[in-house]
Tab-separated table of all heavy atoms in Angstrom:
chain	number	residue	atom	x	y	z
A	256	LEU	N	-23.048	164.117	136.556
A	256	LEU	CA	-22.849	164.931	135.352
A	256	LEU	C	-21.422	164.786	134.796
A	256	LEU	O	-21.213	164.633	133.594
A	256	LEU	CB	-23.129	166.403	135.686
A	256	LEU	CG	-22.974	167.414	134.560
A	256	LEU	CD1	-23.988	167.187	133.464
A	256	LEU	CD2	-23.084	168.833	135.100
A	257	VAL	N	-20.436	164.820	135.695
A	257	VAL	CA	-19.040	164.724	135.271
A	257	VAL	C	-18.756	163.351	134.664
A	257	VAL	O	-18.096	163.230	133.625
A	257	VAL	CB	-18.095	164.995	136.463
A	257	VAL	CG1	-16.655	164.807	136.054
A	257	VAL	CG2	-18.320	166.387	137.002
A	258	VAL	N	-19.277	162.312	135.302
A	258	VAL	CA	-19.058	160.952	134.818
A	258	VAL	C	-19.727	160.765	133.450
A	258	VAL	O	-19.145	160.164	132.538
A	258	VAL	CB	-19.606	159.929	135.848
A	258	VAL	CG1	-19.510	158.522	135.301
A	258	VAL	CG2	-18.839	160.046	137.160
A	259	SER	N	-20.914	161.301	133.300
A	259	SER	CA	-21.604	161.188	132.008
A	259	SER	C	-20.842	161.928	130.917
A	259	SER	O	-20.735	161.453	129.785
A	259	SER	CB	-23.024	161.754	132.114
A	259	SER	OG	-23.766	161.007	133.046
A	260	THR	N	-20.291	163.081	131.265
A	260	THR	CA	-19.491	163.831	130.289
A	260	THR	C	-18.270	163.027	129.864
A	260	THR	O	-17.895	163.015	128.688
A	260	THR	CB	-19.049	165.183	130.883
A	260	THR	OG1	-20.203	165.887	131.329
A	260	THR	CG2	-18.327	166.021	129.848
A	261	ALA	N	-17.677	162.326	130.831
A	261	ALA	CA	-16.523	161.477	130.498
A	261	ALA	C	-16.941	160.392	129.512
A	261	ALA	O	-16.169	160.010	128.618
A	261	ALA	CB	-15.942	160.866	131.765
A	262	MET	N	-18.169	159.873	129.659
A	262	MET	CA	-18.677	158.862	128.714
A	262	MET	C	-18.858	159.481	127.325
A	262	MET	O	-18.520	158.863	126.308
A	262	MET	CB	-20.026	158.309	129.209
A	262	MET	CG	-19.921	157.371	130.384
A	262	MET	SD	-19.021	155.847	130.006
A	262	MET	CE	-20.191	154.992	128.954
A	263	VAL	N	-19.408	160.686	127.284
A	263	VAL	CA	-19.613	161.368	126.003
A	263	VAL	C	-18.271	161.537	125.289
A	263	VAL	O	-18.134	161.210	124.106
A	263	VAL	CB	-20.287	162.748	126.200
A	263	VAL	CG1	-20.267	163.553	124.901
A	263	VAL	CG2	-21.722	162.566	126.691
A	264	SER	N	-17.272	162.007	126.016
A	264	SER	CA	-15.994	162.235	125.338
A	264	SER	C	-15.304	160.911	125.022
A	264	SER	O	-14.592	160.805	124.028
A	264	SER	CB	-15.111	163.177	126.154
A	264	SER	OG	-14.466	162.483	127.178
A	265	GLY	N	-15.525	159.891	125.865
A	265	GLY	CA	-14.959	158.572	125.591
A	265	GLY	C	-15.480	158.007	124.279
A	265	GLY	O	-14.700	157.573	123.423
A	266	TYR	N	-16.792	158.044	124.102
A	266	TYR	CA	-17.367	157.541	122.842
A	266	TYR	C	-16.926	158.394	121.657
A	266	TYR	O	-16.708	157.885	120.557
A	266	TYR	CB	-18.895	157.473	122.930
A	266	TYR	CG	-19.379	156.164	123.531
A	266	TYR	CD1	-20.170	156.146	124.677
A	266	TYR	CD2	-19.033	154.943	122.951
A	266	TYR	CE1	-20.609	154.947	125.230
A	266	TYR	CE2	-19.462	153.749	123.491
A	266	TYR	CZ	-20.249	153.750	124.626
A	266	TYR	OH	-20.670	152.573	125.166
A	267	SER	N	-16.782	159.699	121.883
A	267	SER	CA	-16.318	160.565	120.795
A	267	SER	C	-14.909	160.173	120.358
A	267	SER	O	-14.612	160.121	119.169
A	267	SER	CB	-16.305	162.027	121.244
A	267	SER	OG	-17.607	162.434	121.564
A	268	LYS	N	-14.060	159.898	121.357
A	268	LYS	CA	-12.664	159.571	121.046
A	268	LYS	C	-12.550	158.321	120.187
A	268	LYS	O	-11.672	158.232	119.333
A	268	LYS	CB	-11.874	159.358	122.338
A	268	LYS	CG	-11.264	160.631	122.877
A	268	LYS	CD	-10.376	160.359	124.081
A	268	LYS	CE	-10.256	161.643	124.909
A	268	LYS	NZ	-10.682	161.446	126.302
A	269	ILE	N	-13.415	157.324	120.449
A	269	ILE	CA	-13.301	156.104	119.659
A	269	ILE	C	-14.154	156.176	118.391
A	269	ILE	O	-14.291	155.207	117.655
A	269	ILE	CB	-13.665	154.839	120.475
A	269	ILE	CG1	-15.129	154.877	120.920
A	269	ILE	CG2	-12.763	154.695	121.684
A	269	ILE	CD1	-15.658	153.508	121.301
A	270	GLY	N	-14.756	157.344	118.153
A	270	GLY	CA	-15.476	157.541	116.902
A	270	GLY	C	-16.916	157.061	116.898
A	270	GLY	O	-17.552	157.041	115.850
A	271	ASN	N	-17.428	156.672	118.073
A	271	ASN	CA	-18.834	156.256	118.123
A	271	ASN	C	-19.683	157.435	118.575
A	271	ASN	O	-20.111	157.524	119.722
A	271	ASN	CB	-18.985	155.069	119.068
A	271	ASN	CG	-20.370	154.453	118.990
A	271	ASN	OD1	-21.295	155.057	118.411
A	271	ASN	ND2	-20.526	153.283	119.556
A	272	ILE	N	-19.935	158.331	117.632
A	272	ILE	CA	-20.595	159.586	117.972
A	272	ILE	C	-22.079	159.378	118.308
A	272	ILE	O	-22.659	160.120	119.094
A	272	ILE	CB	-20.391	160.621	116.828
A	272	ILE	CG1	-20.693	162.037	117.292
A	272	ILE	CG2	-21.183	160.265	115.609
A	272	ILE	CD1	-19.700	162.591	118.267
A	273	GLU	N	-22.679	158.323	117.731
A	273	GLU	CA	-24.091	158.043	118.036
A	273	GLU	C	-24.255	157.676	119.508
A	273	GLU	O	-25.190	158.131	120.175
A	273	GLU	CB	-24.629	156.897	117.164
A	273	GLU	CG	-24.763	157.225	115.687
A	273	GLU	CD	-23.434	157.129	114.939
A	273	GLU	OE1	-22.466	156.541	115.482
A	273	GLU	OE2	-23.353	157.670	113.819
A	274	ALA	N	-23.352	156.826	120.010
A	274	ALA	CA	-23.407	156.438	121.418
A	274	ALA	C	-23.175	157.646	122.319
A	274	ALA	O	-23.826	157.810	123.355
A	274	ALA	CB	-22.376	155.350	121.710
A	275	ALA	N	-22.235	158.518	121.890
A	275	ALA	CA	-21.966	159.734	122.661
A	275	ALA	C	-23.238	160.575	122.744
A	275	ALA	O	-23.627	161.054	123.815
A	275	ALA	CB	-20.839	160.526	122.004
A	276	ARG	N	-23.909	160.724	121.614
A	276	ARG	CA	-25.111	161.550	121.552
A	276	ARG	C	-26.221	160.969	122.419
A	276	ARG	O	-26.975	161.687	123.067
A	276	ARG	CB	-25.578	161.681	120.099
A	276	ARG	CG	-26.839	162.502	119.907
A	276	ARG	CD	-26.599	163.920	120.408
A	276	ARG	NE	-27.829	164.694	120.487
A	276	ARG	CZ	-28.194	165.582	119.556
A	276	ARG	NH1	-27.445	165.811	118.522
A	276	ARG	NH2	-29.318	166.254	119.693
A	277	SER	N	-26.307	159.646	122.418
A	277	SER	CA	-27.375	159.009	123.174
A	277	SER	C	-27.212	159.279	124.676
A	277	SER	O	-28.174	159.538	125.387
A	277	SER	CB	-27.400	157.528	122.814
A	277	SER	OG	-27.744	156.766	123.913
A	278	ILE	N	-25.964	159.225	125.157
A	278	ILE	CA	-25.718	159.552	126.565
A	278	ILE	C	-25.991	161.028	126.826
A	278	ILE	O	-26.633	161.403	127.804
A	278	ILE	CB	-24.266	159.189	126.952
A	278	ILE	CG1	-24.108	157.677	126.814
A	278	ILE	CG2	-23.924	159.703	128.353
A	278	ILE	CD1	-23.057	157.029	127.615
A	279	PHE	N	-25.540	161.845	125.905
A	279	PHE	CA	-25.735	163.294	126.024
A	279	PHE	C	-27.224	163.627	126.137
A	279	PHE	O	-27.642	164.443	126.956
A	279	PHE	CB	-25.115	163.976	124.800
A	279	PHE	CG	-25.295	165.465	124.740
A	279	PHE	CD1	-24.479	166.303	125.487
A	279	PHE	CD2	-26.264	166.032	123.928
A	279	PHE	CE1	-24.636	167.686	125.430
A	279	PHE	CE2	-26.425	167.413	123.865
A	279	PHE	CZ	-25.616	168.242	124.615
A	280	ASP	N	-28.038	162.955	125.303
A	280	ASP	CA	-29.480	163.226	125.302
A	280	ASP	C	-30.155	162.837	126.612
A	280	ASP	O	-31.189	163.384	126.975
A	280	ASP	CB	-30.147	162.496	124.130
A	280	ASP	CG	-29.908	163.208	122.811
A	280	ASP	OD1	-29.566	164.409	122.850
A	280	ASP	OD2	-30.051	162.575	121.749
A	281	GLN	N	-29.561	161.856	127.303
A	281	GLN	CA	-30.179	161.419	128.558
A	281	GLN	C	-29.779	162.294	129.743
A	281	GLN	O	-30.298	162.138	130.836
A	281	GLN	CB	-29.762	159.975	128.849
A	281	GLN	CG	-30.441	158.965	127.920
A	281	GLN	CD	-29.748	157.620	127.981
A	281	GLN	OE1	-29.316	157.189	129.054
A	281	GLN	NE2	-29.618	156.980	126.829
A	282	MET	N	-28.813	163.184	129.530
A	282	MET	CA	-28.339	164.008	130.638
A	282	MET	C	-29.302	165.162	130.918
A	282	MET	O	-29.824	165.783	130.004
A	282	MET	CB	-26.943	164.573	130.315
A	282	MET	CG	-25.882	163.493	130.212
A	282	MET	SD	-24.352	164.078	129.509
A	282	MET	CE	-23.694	165.010	130.863
A	283	VAL	N	-29.523	165.402	132.225
A	283	VAL	CA	-30.356	166.553	132.598
A	283	VAL	C	-29.443	167.627	133.193
A	283	VAL	O	-28.347	167.324	133.645
A	283	VAL	CB	-31.445	166.156	133.618
A	283	VAL	CG1	-32.579	165.445	132.916
A	283	VAL	CG2	-30.873	165.294	134.725
A	284	ASP	N	-29.910	168.858	133.198
A	284	ASP	CA	-29.116	169.980	133.712
A	284	ASP	C	-27.715	170.009	133.120
A	284	ASP	O	-26.705	169.977	133.822
A	284	ASP	CB	-28.986	169.895	135.251
A	284	ASP	CG	-30.308	170.161	135.927
A	284	ASP	OD1	-31.096	170.933	135.344
A	284	ASP	OD2	-30.547	169.592	136.995
A	285	LYS	N	-27.661	170.045	131.804
A	285	LYS	CA	-26.358	170.052	131.126
A	285	LYS	C	-25.604	171.342	131.454
A	285	LYS	O	-26.180	172.420	131.456
A	285	LYS	CB	-26.567	169.968	129.617
A	285	LYS	CG	-27.282	168.717	129.148
A	285	LYS	CD	-27.344	168.722	127.631
A	285	LYS	CE	-28.065	167.557	127.047
A	285	LYS	NZ	-29.517	167.528	127.292
Side-chain angles (χ1 to χ4, degrees):
Chain A
L256 180 65
V257 176
V258 174
S259 298
T260 305
M262 286 296 289
V263 170
S264 81
Y266 274 122
S267 298
K268 271 186 203 123
I269 63 161
N271 189 347
I272 197 69
E273 291 80 15
R276 179 61 191 260
S277 145
I278 296 204
F279 177 80
D280 283 341
Q281 288 165 38
M282 294 168 74
V283 282
D284 291 329
K285 299 184 182 69

